[in-house]
Amino acid sequence: MAKALTALAVEKAKPRADRYEMPDGLLTGLYLIVQPSGAKSWAVRYRYGAKPRKVTLGPFPALDLSNARDAAREALQAVAKGGDPASQRRAGKEEARAGRDLFENVVAEFLKRHRKRDGSALKSLPEIERMFNVNVIPPWRGRRIQDITRRDVVALLDALVDSGIGPMTNRVFSIVRKLFNWAVARDIVTGSPCVGVTPPAPETSRERVLSDDELRRFWKATDETGYPFGPMFRLLLITGQRLSEVAEMPWRELSLEKQTWSIPSARTKNGRAHDVPLSDLAVEIIGDLPKIASTRDLVFTTGDRPASGFSRAKKILDAKMASDGTDIPHFILHDLRRTVATRLQEIGIPPHVTEAVLNHKSGVIKGVAAVYARHDYAAEKRAALDAWARRLSDIVVGRLTDNVIELRAGA
């Protein structure tokens, strides 16, 4: 008859050339399994339906002798009630694996892994997460990622094209393709259903610039929209900076006394720190903003996260701009940046200064000249944005008319 196992005997059990089992004389059915590598684990043996069965309880020393006996008693009690612990455990593992493979859970893991990268890899993550939540997860929620086929991808893209979001469909396709490539590399799926699928929408160079009448409507609509999107959208138009840079702006980047907004390299698209001169109009808008308690010190926030929901806010803005029934041609928020660039050129700002204002990495200054041209154009950028603010004020509210100074090339 087997002897009752002791904690010391379990601890001192030595590996042999072959795997072996040590039965516990105190609890029939419980075994300590010792591998040739020296690894030890617990298992309980029993009969179910006249057939021998075994269920692994866990490794030693994570599961010690006392807890192994408790787990074995629980398993044997289940057998006495007609249960099969091995089948139940296997079903539990399959259920857990199925839950892990649900499309929305794989997306969550994908985003989690990308959040752990350096700051430069995180700039577009909020927008990527938004596109998954709005455009991709809803039609595929509850499905295993392995069950999604090329036909499903094509159907998703066709539905997005039919919804009227145009080239944005290509952005959605890009993130879906990136997700599946990542899943292939991690052996979550054996192949990507995006292979052989072409971008669904034609890419065209946008030329949308808001007219004077549209600028007036925009200004009135943003006034009616209120915080956070009203002043946020106005600052996009006043400064010409990117949406993510304005929307995620923390108070610490601002110096209203010096009328300067300093964006660190980690928050710019080209990885180059950028000082944005703030016109009197910009300072006036920022000075009127509420300071909401936020651990991230955010200017536009509803708590500890940057304000989000730009698509819905833009639809509200569009409706307000066309409230009198006027047909306003579609524009996107990025077109405000293009409008600033175009208007700066209209009032005579040289192209290289316009590029400095926009923090473009490539443009009229290239090659060796770009390496040695270290001038930051601080004074020129301030003069340009001040002139644009005066011109914008003249357009939208008719003030400062007598002070408009149009800078001409070469001035």
Side-chain angles (χ1 to χ4, degrees), residues 57-363:
L57 301 176
F60 175 85
L63 191 67
D64 61 16
L65 175 60
S66 176
N67 287 323
R69 282 174 175 156
D70 289 342
R73 288 191 187 98
E74 184 177 343
L76 293 171
Q77 287 171 2
V79 173
K81 294 178 181 180
D84 181 10
S87 296
Q88 292 169 356
R89 178 162 296 195
R90 184 164 53 253
K93 287 182 178 180
E94 291 175 354
E95 183 178 347
R97 187 179 300 110
R100 182 183 62 184
D101 289 344
L102 292 178
F103 182 78
E104 59 269 27
N105 293 339
V106 176
V107 170
E109 181 67 14
F110 170 79
L111 295 172
K112 173 185 173 182
R113 295 297 172 187
H114 281 72
R115 283 192 189 96
K116 291 186 175 182
R117 297 185 180 181
D118 60 271
S120 63
L122 303 180
K123 292 169 194 165
S124 61
L125 197 59
E127 177 62 12
I128 291 174
E129 185 171 8
R130 186 197 68 80
M131 285 192 285
F132 271 124
N133 290 334
V134 173
N135 303 118
V136 187
I137 290 178
W140 290 347
R141 187 184 299 279
R143 296 184 58 182
R144 295 172 68 249
I145 191 172
Q146 295 88 349
D147 297 335
I148 294 172
T149 66
R150 184 183 305 173
R151 187 171 184 177
D152 293 320
V153 174
V154 172
L156 171 72
L157 299 178
D158 285 347
L160 293 176
V161 170
D162 293 343
S163 72
I165 68 172
M168 181 57 69
T169 307
N170 293 353
R171 309 286 85 76
V172 175
F173 177 52
S174 177
I175 65 167
V176 170
R177 183 169 52 196
K178 184 174 183 179
L179 169 72
F180 276 102
N181 288 341
W182 174 86
V184 169
R186 298 178 75 89
D187 202 28
I188 298 172
V189 295
T190 56
S192 171
C194 297
V195 173
V197 179
T198 57
E203 292 285 354
T204 57
S205 177
R206 293 189 59 87
E207 299 178 354
R208 184 74 165 91
V209 174
L210 275 64
S211 67
D212 284 5
D213 179 63
E214 290 169 337
L215 289 176
R216 283 187 285 269
R217 291 174 178 273
F218 173 88
W219 201 260
K220 183 176 183 294
T222 51
D223 183 52
E224 296 171 353
T225 301
Y227 180 89
F229 297 109
M232 180 196 300
F233 292 170
R234 284 188 172 187
L235 284 178
L236 290 174
L237 181 62
I238 294 169
T239 65
Q241 304 311 302
R242 295 179 176 87
L243 175 59
S244 62
E245 295 165 352
V246 174
E248 299 171 20
M249 172 197 301
W251 285 102
R252 62 180 173 273
E253 291 179 4
L254 297 168
S255 174
L256 298 188
E257 296 79 11
K258 297 180 180 178
Q259 297 195 210
T260 302
W261 169 25
S262 299
I263 312 176
S265 59
R267 285 217 316 114
T268 62
K269 183 177 180 180
N270 60 19
R272 186 172 58 189
H274 181 42
D275 286 338
V276 182
L278 298 175
S279 62
D280 290 342
L281 184 57
V283 170
E284 178 184 337
I285 290 173
I286 295 171
D288 288 340
L289 295 176
K291 283 200 172 184
I292 298 176
S294 165
T295 56
R296 295 177 59 183
D297 192 37
L298 298 167
V299 175
F300 300 107
T301 181
T302 54
D304 289 336
R305 295 175 62 88
S308 59
F310 303 116
S311 296
R312 181 174 180 275
K314 177 58 169 51
K315 289 180 180 178
I316 294 173
L317 179 75
D318 291 342
K320 291 182 181 295
M321 289 179 64
S323 60
D324 63 354
T326 300
D327 182 22
I328 306 294
H330 176 70
F331 72 94
I332 62 176
L333 293 175
H334 190 75
D335 291 331
L336 299 176
R337 182 170 162 87
R338 182 178 296 99
T339 297
V340 174
T342 302
R343 295 305 185 115
L344 286 176
Q345 293 179 49
E346 287 179 359
I347 61 176
I349 303 301
H352 60 280
V353 176
T354 297
E355 290 201 340
V357 167
L358 300 178
N359 196 24
H360 276 167
K361 193 169 185 178
S362 61

